[in-house]
Amino acid sequence: MQLLALYKVFENKKLLNIKIEKHNMRISKRGQVSDQFNWLFVVIAGGVILLFFFFVIVQIQAAGEAKLHAVVLGNMDAILTGSQVSPNTLNRIESSETLRFDISCDDFGSVMSVPKTQSQVDISRKIVFAPGIIGSNQIYVYVKPIEKPMYVDNVIYLTDTRTFFLVMGGNSTSNLQLNSLYLQIPDGIPKAGGPIIEDRLRAYNTIVIVNASGPLDTLTWNHFGEGILRRKNANWITVNASGVYMATKTDRQSEFGTSELVGIADQAFQVMFSKNKKFFECTQGKINERTKVVAKVYERRSEQLAARYISGNPCQFQLNLAKDRFGDIVNKITNDQNYTAEITNLRNINNELILLTCPTAY
Amino acid sequence: MKKAQIRIFESIAVLVIFIIFVAIGLRFYTTAQMNDLRKVAAEFSELDAVKVTLLLSHMPELACSFEGRPDSSCMDLEKINAMKYLLNNTPWVFEHYLPIIGLSDVIVTELYPATDTIMLHNASIQNTSLRIARVTSLTIPKNIQDPETGYKKIGTFTVKTSAVRR
């Protein structure tokens, strides 16, 4: 009996130990779950906070860049406006940082933009020619007036120290047209009128080559073949009696595209400062639009002035003639026709008005 | 409440307070940025007024001419009248000038010997539905010449440019 009692006590104690062990194990598991939850919580919350700050920093950086681009473009636009009203001047804009922007022109207007960004400023009020993307810390702004024969507007020619103008034979008088083009490029803008100096070309991003008859001469082709021009943006312009032809090449292309007729020989200078045919035609369209509007204003002015004189007065007669010629210019531009004869005619009428001491037509 | 639950609530409370502080910080930052942007917008608006004034006062359609050469120091009275007429009566001419003078009042004032005002363009008539944020006015002295007599009057050229609230 005693033995049996002892055995039962022993059995109960064993059972108790097992129970205590099980209880301890349960407590330990709960602790483990709580610790795991805490870690998971910290990792997720920390990750979310980190992502949030990362997002905020990226947004702030993007906003800062956009603001900087807007300020730079706004200031550039103001500089161009200032230059626009000062014809026959060459301004050099210097910056400690490289300025990069592109000028584009389409049916909706012209914009100046920072490449690969959304930043842009409307420059439809200006007539701007640029031979490619401007990317330098020194930019040239050359302003020339357009007279048809009346003063129409000032055209802005934009280039930089990374663009080189190579007028083949421009420094000799054997071809007067090329010589005139070479001389029209103001001193200060990188240019050469003779053969290529290899080392000079290496330093430039964009090369504008002008010659009298295609194809390019052997010397140029050799340099092209050796790779001097291969990694560059280049425009090849041919100027002769039948007009101005243009072929373009970007640094990814190994050769020039088809040479196309883009305009008359008188437009060669504007073609030299155009990145492609489409850009030239669009900007030329803006010049025509300006000419048309100015001619319309002068037509109305001549009519008003003529009405102030008594019938038969020579001033009235000449002013009425001027009014008709301005009207012809408006109509011819509308119908995309040549108006060279009207220009000559108007010049003569204006000279006649000066001789008669009448108010001039333009 | 069990100890573990209290710890979770503690962590959540810390997070909530942290988020509140970050939100307050961001609010201050965006307010400062907005003020900064408003300042930049005001500067650009003033710059725009200067640009419009500069462009218009140098336009060959308005400037005097001497033997075919433009003279930007004065304005031609007949050109002003011609342009005013065309702006009001010829839509394609108006469309051409719209990007320049769209939201601007352009006023030419004769001061001496007689006083007279020519409203070349009145933007407020055409844009009554727009919410104007600010108006920048710029006046420059200009001689106004009658091309028939060659007689010059003293006057001013004023451009009031409006910035639209977006």
Side-chain angles (χ1 to χ4, degrees):
Chain A
M1 279 296 280
Q2 271 182 339
L3 268 171
L4 193 69
L6 264 169
Y7 176 74
K8 276 185 179 171
V9 168
F10 177 75
E11 272 294 300
N12 282 342
K13 207 177 173 182
K14 206 175 160 185
L15 275 170
L16 192 72
N17 281 342
I18 290 166
K19 273 184 185 173
I20 289 167
E21 231 169 70
K22 275 186 181 173
H23 178 73
N24 283 346
M25 269 176 69
R26 219 176 289 148
I27 287 171
S28 151
K29 263 188 185 172
R30 259 192 223 162
Q32 272 181 354
V33 169
S34 171
D35 277 353
Q36 278 173 355
F37 173 77
N38 275 342
W39 275 109
L40 206 68
F41 182 76
V42 166
V43 167
I44 292 170
V48 169
I49 291 166
L50 217 67
L51 270 175
F52 172 73
F53 278 108
F54 180 73
F55 174 76
V56 169
I57 287 165
V58 167
Q59 288 294 312
I60 289 171
Q61 206 179 6
E65 267 180 32
K67 192 178 150 190
L68 181 72
H69 290 154
V71 170
V72 169
L73 287 173
N75 287 337
M76 254 325 276
D77 185 36
I79 291 168
L80 293 187
T81 306
S83 304
Q84 194 187 357
V85 296
S86 316
N88 299 311
T89 53
L90 174 73
N91 292 321
R92 195 168 75 166
I93 303 162
E94 285 189 52
S95 160
S96 53
E97 296 288 322
T98 299
L99 297 166
R100 266 183 78 79
F101 48 86
D102 190 19
I103 309 288
S104 52
C105 178
D106 58 29
D107 295 342
F108 303 104
S110 299
V111 291
M112 181 162 59
S113 60
V114 177
K116 294 174 188 167
T117 68
Q118 302 276 312
S119 307
Q120 61 179 46
V121 63
D122 182 65
I123 53 160
S124 300
R125 300 167 186 176
K126 301 174 184 68
I127 299 167
V128 184
F129 283 97
I133 290 175
I134 302 296
S136 172
N137 58 351
Q138 282 181 41
I139 293 166
Y140 295 105
V141 183
Y142 180 48
V143 183
K144 268 180 80 173
I146 321 165
E147 287 164 358
K148 288 190 167 188
M150 66 288 187
Y151 167 59
V152 170
D153 210 334
N154 291 320
V155 176
I156 299 170
Y157 297 92
L158 214 57
T159 182
D160 61 11
T161 47
R162 307 295 301 275
T163 302
F164 192 85
F165 292 88
L166 179 72
V167 185
M168 308 292 289
N171 57 359
S172 75
T173 47
S174 58
N175 185 322
L176 290 175
Q177 210 163 27
L178 288 186
N179 185 244
S180 157
L181 273 178
Y182 175 70
L183 294 173
Q184 275 184 66
I185 305 168
D187 292 334
I189 291 178
K191 64 170 182 175
I196 306 164
I197 303 157
E198 204 172 303
D199 286 338
R200 283 191 77 181
L201 281 188
R202 280 188 208 285
Y204 298 96
N205 281 345
T206 305
I207 316 287
V208 178
I209 305 162
V210 187
N211 72 349
S213 57
L216 293 175
D217 59 53
T218 320
L219 190 67
T220 317
W221 279 114
N222 284 345
H223 283 282
F224 178 60
E226 283 166 20
I228 295 166
L229 293 177
R230 198 177 288 277
R231 290 173 66 91
K232 302 201 182 288
N233 297 311
N235 283 348
W236 164 34
I237 292 150
T238 305
V239 187
N240 54 41
S242 57
V244 188
Y245 296 80
M246 186 185 202
T248 59
K249 180 192 97 60
T250 66
D251 60 356
R252 289 193 182 90
Q253 289 172 315
S254 57
E255 57 187 42
F256 285 97
T258 319
S259 188
E260 289 177 277
L261 179 69
V262 287
I264 56 168
D266 285 350
Q267 295 166 334
F269 192 76
Q270 289 159 0
V271 177
M272 279 164 64
F273 282 82
S274 299
K275 57 183 172 185
N276 51 44
K277 186 186 175 187
K278 194 178 155 230
F279 178 86
F280 168 76
E281 285 174 345
C282 179
T283 316
Q284 195 60 41
K286 284 177 75 176
I287 294 177
N288 284 339
E289 185 63 28
R290 279 289 297 142
T291 312
K292 189 174 147 184
V293 170
V294 173
K296 188 73 189 169
V297 174
Y298 279 118
E299 183 193 10
R300 175 72 196 169
R301 177 183 176 268
S302 301
E303 191 184 342
Q304 286 170 183
L305 272 171
R308 287 167 75 167
Y309 291 92
I310 51 159
S311 185
N313 185 294
C315 291
Q316 189 195 51
F317 178 74
Q318 292 297 332
L319 283 165
N320 276 330
L321 282 180
K323 181 203 138 210
D324 293 343
R325 292 297 80 76
F326 283 124
D328 290 344
I329 289 179
V330 173
N331 290 334
K332 289 208 167 175
I333 293 174
T334 309
N335 299 318
D336 210 13
Q337 290 170 337
N338 188 297
Y339 52 93
T340 320
E342 281 73 18
I343 289 177
T344 315
N345 211 326
L346 262 174
R347 205 170 272 140
N348 294 336
I349 293 169
N350 210 48
N351 288 338
E352 191 63 35
L353 283 165
I354 293 168
L355 285 174
L356 290 166
T357 62
C358 301
T360 51
Y362 56 86
Chain B
M1 202 177 276
K2 285 178 184 173
K3 210 176 169 183
Q5 278 179 317
I6 292 168
R7 280 176 66 185
I8 289 169
F9 278 120
E10 268 178 10
S11 307
I12 291 168
V14 167
L15 262 181
V16 168
I17 291 165
F18 175 76
I19 288 166
I20 289 169
F21 275 119
V22 168
I24 292 169
L26 277 177
R27 174 84 184 144
F28 273 111
Y29 178 76
T30 47
T31 311
Q33 285 292 307
M34 284 302 283
N35 286 338
D36 200 25
L37 279 178
R38 273 192 205 109
K39 219 168 119 183
V40 172
E43 278 172 19
F44 271 101
S45 174
E46 281 169 23
L47 199 63
D48 207 45
V50 174
K51 283 191 280 189
V52 171
T53 312
L54 200 64
L55 273 179
L56 286 173
S57 63
H58 283 80
M59 270 187 170
E61 302 97 301
L62 290 173
C64 296
S65 45
F66 177 71
E67 293 184 354
R69 296 268 151 206
D71 173 13
S72 303
S73 68
C74 79
M75 297 177 107
D76 186 313
L77 187 65
E78 284 304 333
K79 285 186 185 176
I80 295 167
N81 289 329
M83 197 161 157
K84 186 186 174 184
Y85 174 84
L86 293 170
L87 282 172
N88 292 323
N89 296 290
T90 317
W92 64 267
V93 173
F94 178 72
E95 276 168 30
H96 176 83
Y97 291 109
L98 197 62
I100 307 171
I101 58 168
L103 287 173
S104 305
D105 290 343
V106 186
I107 308 149
V108 181
T109 315
E110 288 178 16
L111 296 174
Y112 184 82
T115 54
D116 191 15
T117 302
I118 304 168
M119 190 84 175
L120 197 59
H121 181 245
N122 191 350
S124 45
I125 292 173
Q126 281 142 7
N127 304 301
T128 43
S129 58
L130 294 174
R131 292 169 66 207
I132 304 298
R134 73 183 71 81
V135 177
T136 312
S137 180
L138 208 71
T139 301
I140 53 168
K142 279 272 174 188
N143 285 334
I144 299 146
Q145 188 185 36
D146 184 333
E148 190 194 350
T149 58
Y151 189 70
K152 282 181 184 172
K153 298 167 188 171
I154 296 169
T156 58
F157 180 66
T158 305
V159 177
K160 287 182 188 169
T161 308
S162 306
V164 181
R165 196 187 297 274
R166 288 172 200 273

